[in-house]
Amino acid sequence: MPDQLVYAMEVTLNGLMAGVMYSLVALGFVLIFKASGIFNYAQGVLALFAALTLVGLQQGQVPFAHLINAVFGTDLHHFGWHLPAVVAIALTAGVMVLMAIAVEKLVLKHLVNQAPIILFMATIGLAYFLEGFGDVMWGADIKKLDVGLPQGISETIESVTADWFGYGFFIDNLDIVATVVAVALVTALTVFSQYSKQGRALRAVADDHQAALSVGISLRFIWVLVWSIAGFVALVAGIMWGTKSGVQFSLSLIALKALPVLMLGGFTSIPGAIVGGLIIGVGEKLFEFSIGPMIGGATENWFAYMLALLFLVFRPQGLFGERIIERV
Amino acid sequence: MKSKFTTAVVTAIALAGPAMADLVVPNLSYRTGAYAANGIPYADGFNDYFTLLNERDGGIGGEIVQVPECETAYNTEKGVECYESTKGMGALAYNPLSTGITYQLIPKVTADGITLYTPGYGRTSAANGSVFEWVFNYPANYWDGASVAIKYLLDENGGDLAGKKVTLLYHNSAYGKEPIRTLQALSEKHGFELQAVPVDHPGQEQKSQWLQIRRDKPDYVLMWGWGVMNQVAIQEAVNIRYPMDHFIGIWWSGSENDVKPAGDGANGYKALTMHGTGMDYPIYADIQKYVVDAGKAAGAGDMVGTVLYSRGMYAAMVIAEAIRKGQEIHGTSAVNAAQVRDGFENLEITEERMAELGLPQFGPPFAASCTDHGGPGAAMIQQWDAAAGTWNSITGFIAPDDAVLDPLVAEDSAAFAAENNITPRCQ
């Protein structure tokens, strides 16, 4: 088989894997937009905050240590424990639920019936607040995140593809785990929304706020629920991306990789977030591989948006989004 | 009532700003945003050095140094705002730790008559003092770094790089593109094959780049990265099992922050450095006594001795020595910005002086001049020991290949002079 074709296959597989990583971020946006019509600008920062909290709890870091030490003249830094990853993840999920409650009580409750742009602006404020809050709470240094996920080349895939094609493919074990987690997450979310009482209520609110309220569904509870789930999804995204680069404040910028996925897949579809992620991932990687070297490389960021725009021209609601028809 | 209010406001402004007689060196820092993890130790080192001088020596020449800090978040527009908002305080010199901000400030400082000091970053050709009167970038710049890296590789390969493949992995920005021209010239001279691979900001996703490196199998990878790009690149290099001792970063890709997230896999990674690191310098005892223990440290005191803290401290030390030189030349302790510029231009840092400052063998000795604002350009190679968690210098200071660099600096600065109608001085 010609080398270029084999390389293109390797690039395609890696594009699919990268797409899954983008989808993990995009899922959080979709959940909140679907349930409340809010484009949550803070989703990337939620992933950062969740990852910071996870590392902080796992390593026994004293929250607000710098502030406490500065005010009281103490020298506190660590509690002296190292929690097992599962416990730390569970506790962090709990923190994300508490944050969802706080967001509902302190922000969303006061903005009921406001225009979507007002709610969007509120999430911008929330993003900046959370970034600063995370900084004061856990510090801005880069933290190594280790929850036991495997990283590095999959030797099995390398060996098998070497036998088949004469060239061993590179697939990162972390990407394989991310794919499994994404499949499990989407399955769990689908089962939850289809078969649980709360899931049905969530879908009812997504379909029609007014009708859902008229049958006794609590909008406030739904908001807490959906922000909690989005917080959990952000935690998963934060773990995957944080394992790759360490937990640091640039983690919030992963939201930039989710936007073209949302534009392409649609803001209201969970399968759309996955399929959109895969198309963006493969598209940008193949373009970089085939055309990038001719035009100086570094094409992925803009190509993802160009691809999304191209889809928008033909399907403004995205591949799986709901078509919005407003009658005058 | 109105006059009381006005008096109160005027008093508050007067108290909030530096006293008129103080020496003012603004710190355009970034403690927030995507690059905060690097900005914080650098800013701490910068501030702590001036605090040490104030607390131990009563300032410089008897004048207290004020270091008003302004947050840029590594954003060029904010950096310019910071400059505009602090220059009226009587600023003597700026060190914005950003090549993007530096490019914007060069015409401004030239018009305002304030020194811009950019050690190891910024516009490389600012080393030509005959064109860039108000900009200094000693002891080394990006082109020096590129040349030193290649000289080190020459040493490693018996003086011959012919037929070798060298990949430059660079941040796709003004900063990252700086060494390309030099490396192209060096590749022509030494016969190695150069491939430049860009990574877009912020560099969180580098799969394509590392698949390409894995396919191309370069003999060496050089990296011009910053922030998360460094951590991801080092992790990806570990993932594809690239030999870490063949992977060399510029000094902005060689801090503890860059290697620790990759754990043991980063062991053996190399980086350039233009100064020493670690705690084996007498100055740290004074910083502990007069700054940290006195509760006057800029941060929590936990960054002392790290690579970026050391670099911020070094930058502050050079500025302090330039102020001291300006005072000496003009016979006054209350120097102004123009007098401090004279101090920068006539600055001589000897090994004896470095030892007096508590920093023996920390940086290369150099002497600036009207034409030479760039210094010797020498740098060391350090290597990461993951088990010990330390950087170890594995070479002495290596001088760059000036035969290649001087014409490039002359060409670039001449172009700048032509674009800006600058008549070169002191030639």
Side-chain angles (χ1 to χ4, degrees):
Chain A
M1 199 175 282
D3 283 353
Q4 288 302 311
L5 186 58
V6 174
Y7 294 153
M9 287 165 63
E10 183 192 35
V11 168
T12 304
L13 278 174
N14 276 278
L16 288 169
M17 300 287 184
V20 169
M21 295 286 277
Y22 303 160
S23 298
L24 282 174
V25 187
L27 271 176
F29 283 98
V30 168
L31 285 166
I32 290 180
F33 190 85
K34 195 172 163 64
S36 58
I38 301 173
F39 178 79
N40 180 22
Y41 184 86
Q43 190 63 33
V45 183
L46 277 185
L48 164 68
F49 184 79
L52 282 172
T53 306
L54 173 61
V55 178
L57 290 173
Q58 190 180 16
Q59 296 180 354
Q61 198 183 334
V62 177
F64 305 106
H66 286 188
L67 193 63
I68 293 168
N69 293 340
V71 173
F72 299 105
T74 50
D75 190 29
L76 297 171
H77 293 287
H78 288 90
F79 290 116
W81 72 56
H82 189 92
L83 293 177
V86 178
V87 176
I89 290 171
L91 287 173
T92 307
V95 170
M96 298 312 284
V97 171
L98 291 176
M99 199 173 66
I101 294 169
V103 167
E104 194 280 327
K105 281 200 181 309
L106 300 174
V107 182
L108 300 178
K109 188 175 87 173
H110 306 284
L111 298 175
V112 173
N113 288 331
Q114 293 295 325
I117 188 67
I118 303 294
L119 291 161
F120 172 64
M121 301 289 267
T123 65
I124 293 179
L126 182 65
Y128 282 101
F129 169 76
L130 264 185
E131 197 164 324
F133 190 68
D135 189 347
V136 175
M137 195 168 174
W138 300 113
D141 52 317
I142 299 172
K143 298 164 179 71
K144 182 172 169 58
L145 175 60
D146 185 6
V147 291
L149 297 180
Q151 252 189 304
I153 190 168
S154 164
E155 293 183 357
T156 310
I157 292 174
E158 185 188 32
S159 157
V160 169
T161 49
D163 289 344
W164 289 353
F165 307 114
Y167 175 76
F169 287 7
F170 171 83
I171 300 288
D172 190 346
N173 280 315
L174 182 67
D175 288 344
I176 297 172
V177 172
T179 305
V180 172
V181 168
V183 170
L185 201 60
V186 170
T187 307
L189 286 172
T190 307
V191 168
F192 173 77
S193 66
Q194 295 291 337
Y195 301 109
S196 72
K197 186 181 167 190
Q198 288 79 10
R200 281 196 293 272
L202 202 149
R203 282 163 53 213
V205 171
D207 278 349
D208 190 327
H209 279 132
Q210 299 293 339
L213 282 169
S214 70
V215 295
I217 293 172
S218 164
L219 190 59
R220 290 180 59 187
F221 169 73
I222 292 299
W223 276 358
V224 169
L225 179 68
V226 79
W227 276 77
S228 300
I229 297 171
F232 180 73
V233 172
L235 170 61
V236 173
I239 291 172
M240 295 302 163
W241 284 92
T243 301
K244 195 186 271 250
S245 63
V247 177
Q248 53 184 300
F249 277 71
S250 60
L251 207 57
S252 62
L253 299 176
I254 57 175
L256 296 174
K257 300 301 280 186
L259 283 181
V261 173
L262 293 166
M263 288 159 69
L264 198 149
F267 281 75
T268 53
S269 167
I270 290 173
I274 299 294
V275 175
L278 297 179
I279 293 174
I280 291 286
V282 172
E284 68 175 23
K285 296 285 180 284
L286 276 179
F287 187 82
E288 174 70 23
F289 170 71
S290 53
I291 310 293
M294 299 177 210
I295 55 175
T299 61
E300 289 167 273
N301 277 2
W302 63 261
F303 181 77
Y305 282 89
M306 201 187 77
L307 191 62
L309 278 172
L310 202 65
F311 271 81
L312 277 186
V313 170
F314 297 101
R315 260 189 86 81
Q317 69 273 38
L319 276 180
F320 294 83
E322 290 163 10
R323 189 161 195 174
I324 300 163
I325 301 169
E326 289 188 10
R327 292 188 176 83
V328 181
Chain B
M1 185 68 193
K2 192 177 172 186
S3 67
K4 275 186 184 173
F5 176 75
T6 309
T7 309
V9 169
V10 169
T11 309
I13 291 170
L15 288 174
M20 289 309 287
D22 288 345
L23 304 169
V24 179
V25 183
N27 185 357
L28 271 50
S29 63
Y30 35 100
R31 294 179 182 275
T32 65
Y35 299 94
N38 288 343
I40 290 170
Y42 190 93
D44 285 355
F46 192 83
N47 286 3
D48 284 355
Y49 187 78
F50 285 115
T51 305
L52 172 67
L53 296 186
N54 288 339
E55 295 299 313
R56 186 190 62 190
D57 308 337
I60 304 171
E63 301 286 344
I64 293 296
V65 186
Q66 296 283 348
V67 189
E69 200 163 342
C70 186
E71 172 69 34
T72 71
Y74 196 63
N75 175 295
T76 300
E77 289 78 22
K78 282 188 188 173
V80 174
E81 283 174 27
C82 279
Y83 170 80
E84 294 293 349
S85 66
T86 52
K87 70 179 184 186
M89 295 174 177
L92 299 177
Y94 282 90
N95 165 36
L97 189 57
S98 156
T99 295
I101 297 173
T102 297
Y103 269 73
Q104 293 302 314
L105 292 190
I106 286 174
K108 288 179 180 293
V109 296
T110 305
D112 295 335
I114 304 173
T115 295
L116 185 61
Y117 178 50
T118 61
Y121 66 92
R123 184 169 187 138
T124 297
S125 60
N128 183 358
S130 61
V131 172
F132 295 90
E133 185 179 356
W134 293 90
V135 189
F136 298 80
N137 58 8
Y138 42 66
N141 57 53
Y142 294 135
W143 295 356
D144 294 325
S147 174
V148 168
I150 296 301
K151 275 187 92 174
Y152 171 70
L153 295 183
L154 281 165
D155 285 347
E156 290 282 286
N157 288 275
D160 183 16
L161 282 176
K164 298 282 184 191
K165 282 166 128 179
V166 177
T167 290
L168 170 70
L169 186 75
Y170 67 95
H171 195 269
N172 196 21
S173 62
Y175 150 62
K177 290 174 183 171
E178 278 276 335
I180 294 176
R181 208 162 155 202
T182 311
L183 288 171
Q184 284 169 339
L186 290 166
S187 109
E188 283 168 22
K189 180 174 178 180
H190 298 294
F192 62 86
E193 183 188 332
L194 175 70
Q195 180 147 39
V197 178
V199 175
D200 266 338
H201 163 83
Q204 199 102 37
E205 225 291 307
Q206 299 178 30
K207 196 72 77 191
S208 294
Q209 289 79 6
W210 285 93
L211 285 176
Q212 185 181 345
I213 288 169
R214 186 166 177 267
R215 288 193 299 267
D216 293 347
K217 299 185 181 66
D219 296 288
Y220 297 96
V221 175
L222 305 180
M223 175 160 67
W224 252 248
W226 187 229
V228 69
M229 178 187 156
N230 292 337
Q231 292 94 46
V232 173
I234 291 170
Q235 182 60 59
E236 292 286 7
V238 175
N239 289 349
I240 70 161
R241 295 180 299 220
Y242 190 81
M244 296 309 285
D245 58 347
H246 284 221
F247 188 13
I248 304 172
I250 183 66
W251 37 72
W252 301 115
S253 301
S255 76
E256 294 83 355
N257 285 337
D258 301 323
V259 283
K260 282 187 173 173
D264 291 342
N267 190 51
Y269 170 73
K270 295 173 181 172
L272 280 82
T273 181
M274 52 186 164
H275 56 77
T277 53
M279 296 295 289
D280 296 335
Y281 297 97
I283 194 170
Y284 290 121
D286 280 358
I287 285 183
Q288 188 66 36
K289 180 179 172 186
Y290 292 99
V291 182
V292 179
D293 291 347
K296 295 180 185 297
D302 54 353
M303 298 289 175
V304 179
T306 61
V307 170
L308 291 170
Y309 182 97
S310 306
R311 194 162 303 152
M313 181 186 73
Y314 183 51
M317 182 276 286
V318 172
I319 292 173
E321 289 303 294
I323 291 172
R324 209 182 299 277
K325 188 73 182 176
Q327 291 172 334
E328 181 191 317
I329 293 170
H330 293 282
T332 172
S333 60
V335 281
N336 60 29
Q339 291 166 332
V340 169
R341 195 212 70 86
D342 292 344
F344 270 98
E345 197 157 89
N346 292 282
L347 185 62
E348 183 175 7
I349 300 280
T350 61
E351 179 50 36
E352 291 71 29
R353 181 60 185 155
M354 291 291 283
E356 280 171 26
L357 294 169
L359 290 163
Q361 309 287 325
F362 185 83
F366 65 87
S369 68
C370 181
T371 53
D372 183 2
H373 286 195
M380 296 185 283
I381 305 289
Q382 57 178 357
Q383 187 166 33
W384 179 245
D385 180 342
T390 54
W391 286 102
N392 300 316
S393 296
I394 55 171
T395 69
F397 280 102
I398 300 172
D401 186 348
D402 286 334
V404 171
L405 300 189
D406 288 348
L408 294 177
V409 169
E411 183 191 335
D412 194 69
S413 52
F416 181 85
E419 283 166 20
N420 295 278
N421 295 321
I422 295 170
T423 305
R425 59 198 187 107
C426 56
Q427 284 186 310

